[in-house]
């Protein structure tokens, strides 16, 4: 499927499912049905979760999810950069199909850093049967189910980043305004394409009632859509549709629009997060030099990660 070709019918299906699930959870009469839907859609992801969710969380959780291959290429640098810049946060990694050898490496990192600063979970839900880019769509989307689990478990804010990002600054200048909102989303509402109206590379969700409900309805919609053939970037499409619903139907829902002060494609030194897209993550000089420095600093402490 081409990037500019997200079938109209699929957009309508995603929108309709989002509206149904959001409405179920907001109706006292239909709440038992909502509970059944949550168990049916999210139950398999709960039962397949292994490892340990964060237990000692100070300000919040920095979250990334990927498979082993992507962690080796990018995720390990994001983990190290987050540990360096956001020392009041726990960094949590979720890995799909984690091998025993890599599990040992992650356990070594847990032992290396201060208690409560790094944790990881994993699952073995089958996805490798997916063909071509559909495998990537799955990996990019299913992480939003884990965000909901993290919020319920920790009752702390979750700061979700693409695994091929780097944390380049701290959040101190943003923490007060973030705490006053249920969610912080990188909105691009002027884009024509449905799946490009929200950027999923960075997302903050607060553990408020509305924030947790937003995460829940996003997770439920994605889980429902993952049961059928995957459309292009359903994560961004669903985020936008749930955002639209909450803006229109949920009184008091507070969203902070994020901008380049939070995330930069060009590795702006004033941005908190660097996230070059496409081929730029392989040839952006500032990004590559930052990765090299992270690797050099890590090798001084403990070789191998």
């Amino acid at each position: 499927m081409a990037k500019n070709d997200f079938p109209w019918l699929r957009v309508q299906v995603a929108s309709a499912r989002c509206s149904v699930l959001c409405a179920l959870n907001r109706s006292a009469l239909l709440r038992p049905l909502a509970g059944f839907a949550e168990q049916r859609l999210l139950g398999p992801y709960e039962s397949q979760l292994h490892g340990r969710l964060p237990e000692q969380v100070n300000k919040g959780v920095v979250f990334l999810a990927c498979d082993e291959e992507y962690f080796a290429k990018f995720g390990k640098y994001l983990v190290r950069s987050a540990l360096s810049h956001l020392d009041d946060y726990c960094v949590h990694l979720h890995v799909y199909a984690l091998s025993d050898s890599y599990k040992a490496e992650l356990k070594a990192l847990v032992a290396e850093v201060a208690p409560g600063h790094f944790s990881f979970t994993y699952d073995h839900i089958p996805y490798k049967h997916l063909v071509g880019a559909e495998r990537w769509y799955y990996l990019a989307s299913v992480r939003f189910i884990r965000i909901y689990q993290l919020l319920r478990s920790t009752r702390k804010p979750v700061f979700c980043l693409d695994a091929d990002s780097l944390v380049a600054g701290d959040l101190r200048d943003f923490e007060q305004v973030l705490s006053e909102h249920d969610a912080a989303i990188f909105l691009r509402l002027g884009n024509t394409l449905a799946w490009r109206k929200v950027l999923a590379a960075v997302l903050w969700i607060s553990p408020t009632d509305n924030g947790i409900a937003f995460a829940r309805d996003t997770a439920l919609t994605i889980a429902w859509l993952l049961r059928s053939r995957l459309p292009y970037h359903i994560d961004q499409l669903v985020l936008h549709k749930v955002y639209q619903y909450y803006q229109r139907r949920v009184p008091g829902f507070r969203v902070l629009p994020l901008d380049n002060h939070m995330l930069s494609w060009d590795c702006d030194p004033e941005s908190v997060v660097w996230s070059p897209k496409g081929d730029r993550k392989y040839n952006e000089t500032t990004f590559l030099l930052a990765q090299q420095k992270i690797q050099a600093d890590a090798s001084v402490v403990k070789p191998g990660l």
Side-chain angles (χ1 to χ4, degrees):
M1 185 182 297
K3 287 189 175 183
N4 293 331
D5 181 24
F6 202 131
W8 178 87
L9 183 58
R10 294 250 176 131
V11 174
Q12 307 314 308
V13 168
S15 182
R17 292 185 179 185
C18 167
S19 296
V20 167
L21 290 168
C22 290
L24 280 179
N25 280 301
R26 290 189 56 77
S27 168
L29 184 63
L30 298 176
R31 201 156 290 147
L33 184 57
F36 172 78
E38 183 167 340
Q39 178 58 38
R40 186 67 181 250
L41 292 170
L42 301 186
Y45 297 95
E46 294 269 9
S47 63
Q48 290 281 342
L49 184 67
H50 304 286
R52 301 184 71 171
L53 292 169
E55 296 176 348
Q56 304 173 39
V57 179
N58 186 1
K59 289 185 176 179
V61 179
V62 181
F63 175 61
L64 68 153
C66 56
D67 61 6
E68 278 187 16
E69 180 182 358
Y70 218 67
F71 182 78
K73 284 183 179 178
F74 298 104
K76 63 182 182 180
Y77 301 110
L78 173 54
V79 167
R80 291 284 187 181
S81 67
L83 288 170
S84 174
H85 288 283
L86 305 176
D87 55 4
D88 289 328
Y89 290 75
C90 173
V91 180
H92 185 76
L93 165 70
H94 183 81
V95 185
Y96 309 108
L98 180 65
S99 66
D100 289 340
S101 60
Y102 231 100
K103 189 191 303 182
E105 295 228 27
L106 295 179
K107 286 182 176 179
L109 180 56
V110 172
E112 176 190 324
V113 304
H117 281 68
F118 177 70
S119 58
F120 69 93
T121 49
Y122 57 97
D123 66 52
H124 291 285
I125 298 173
Y127 70 90
K128 292 188 176 181
H129 63 284
L130 298 173
V131 178
E134 286 192 349
R135 184 180 298 180
W136 169 244
Y137 306 159
Y138 171 84
L139 294 175
S141 300
V142 73
R143 58 183 166 156
F144 292 93
I145 296 171
R146 302 303 180 192
I147 291 175
Y148 176 47
Q149 292 174 324
L150 279 168
L151 279 165
R152 285 189 307 157
S153 173
T154 66
R155 297 288 162 166
K156 294 287 186 176
V158 174
F159 187 40
C160 179
L161 301 174
D162 275 357
D164 53 10
S165 304
L166 290 177
V167 177
D170 64 52
L171 282 169
R172 291 172 197 166
D173 292 341
F174 296 89
E175 285 173 343
Q176 180 59 43
V177 67
L178 286 169
S179 70
E180 297 168 356
H181 293 80
D182 302 303
I185 305 173
F186 202 113
L187 300 172
R188 303 185 294 179
L189 302 179
N191 277 315
T192 302
L193 299 175
W195 60 270
R196 295 193 67 181
K197 292 182 178 292
V198 167
L199 180 68
V202 57
L203 176 70
W204 173 284
I205 302 186
S206 298
T208 60
D209 289 345
N210 280 341
I212 293 174
F214 178 87
R216 176 201 62 213
D217 291 336
T218 300
L220 286 169
T221 307
I222 284 176
W224 195 356
L225 290 170
L226 286 176
R227 290 185 161 210
S228 55
R229 187 172 178 272
L230 297 172
Y232 187 80
H233 278 313
I234 63 169
D235 56 338
Q236 297 190 158
L237 176 66
V238 170
L239 276 174
H240 176 241
K241 293 301 179 184
V242 178
Y243 160 77
Q244 275 190 321
Y245 184 96
Y246 271 62
Q247 285 290 93
R248 295 169 180 169
R249 306 276 184 98
V250 180
F253 181 59
R254 303 161 299 169
V255 172
L256 175 68
L258 298 176
D259 57 23
N260 291 337
H261 290 96
M262 180 62 74
L263 180 140
S264 169
W265 293 268
D266 303 319
C267 300
D268 186 330
E270 300 299 318
S271 296
V272 176
V273 178
W274 293 350
S275 188
K277 295 304 171 190
D279 290 341
R280 296 185 63 180
K281 59 178 168 278
Y282 298 102
N283 54 39
E284 170 62 52
T285 302
T286 304
F287 191 72
L288 297 177
L289 288 174
Q291 288 181 324
Q292 291 172 15
K293 184 178 186 306
I294 291 166
Q295 184 66 48
D297 291 345
S299 66
V300 172
V301 181
K302 184 176 182 65
L305 269 170

